Each structure stands twice: as structure tokens, then as C-alpha cells.
């Protein structure tokens, strides 16, 4: 049993990356951005699937793709919300 706290691992996301080679590990800025984007109202009711995709991401390119898709979905959500408010 690894005592993750001894290595400064304090979250589930960090724990998932701990055993992976360095070049596969999500960077701190990725983890922070994911948490920030996930708090957006667009992801209400979609958090479980989104967290699973994040957990399954096994390369930095996949991590970047997930973050990009999250940003795009939020942008579309906001655009549609504004259009609805203005109609």
C-alpha cells in the first residue's frame, strides 16, 4: 500500500497519475484547468462521464484534447445561452 500523502498526492486525480510514467502524467496546470472547467454549469449532470474520460486519458495529447473539447462545449453553451436571453 502506497501512502500517497507522503508524496504530496492529495486528490483522486493526482493519485491516478502517480503510477504512470512522467510523460503520461497530467501536469498541475491540466488538473487545475480540468477542475475549473468541470465546475461550469454545462457539466451539471455530465460530471460522471467527464471524470471517467479524464481518468481514462492515457497520454498528454488526450488530456489536451479533453480540455479543448470541454472549452468548446462551454463556449457553445454560453453562445446558445446568450442567444436565448436575447430572443
Amino acid at each position: 500500500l502506497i501512502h500517497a500523502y507522503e508524496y504530496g498526492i492529495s486528490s483522486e486525480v493526482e493519485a491516478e497519475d502517480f503510477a504512470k510514467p512522467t510523460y503520461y502524467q497530467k501536469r498541475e496546470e491540466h488538473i487545475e484547468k480540468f477542475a475549473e472547467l468541470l465546475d461550469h454549469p454545462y457539466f451539471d449532470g455530465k460530471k460522471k462521464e467527464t471524470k471517467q474520460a479524464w481518468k481514462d486519458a492515457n497520454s498528454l495529447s488526450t488530456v489536451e484534447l479533453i480540455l479543448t473539447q470541454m472549452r468548446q462545449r462551454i463556449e457553445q453553451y454560453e453562445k446558445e445561452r446568450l442567444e436565448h436571453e436575447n430572443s
Side-chain angles (χ1 to χ4, degrees):
L1 180 63
I2 295 175
H3 297 285
Y5 65 89
E6 292 177 11
Y7 297 96
I9 296 172
S10 58
S11 74
E12 182 180 325
V13 173
E14 289 174 329
E16 286 296 325
D17 286 339
F18 182 72
K20 295 178 185 170
T22 304
Y23 53 89
Y24 284 144
Q25 292 181 9
K26 297 170 184 90
R27 297 186 184 113
E28 187 64 33
E29 63 264 21
H30 295 136
I31 295 167
E32 290 172 3
K33 181 52 82 175
F34 177 77
E36 175 186 325
L37 294 171
L38 194 63
D39 278 341
H40 190 276
Y42 171 82
F43 292 102
D44 291 350
K46 300 174 181 80
K47 288 186 171 133
K48 184 177 180 181
E49 308 89 59
T50 306
K51 285 180 180 181
Q52 186 62 48
W54 183 254
K55 179 181 175 185
D56 293 344
N58 59 4
S59 70
L60 289 179
S61 61
T62 304
V63 166
E64 291 291 343
L65 177 63
I66 290 170
L67 293 174
T68 299
Q69 289 175 342
M70 290 175 76
R71 283 187 208 99
Q72 290 171 344
R73 289 178 179 149
I74 289 170
E75 288 172 11
Q76 184 65 33
Y77 173 90
E78 291 297 330
K79 180 181 174 187
E80 291 173 5
R81 188 180 61 81
L82 287 174
E83 288 173 359
H84 180 70
E85 285 179 3
N86 293 331
S87 56

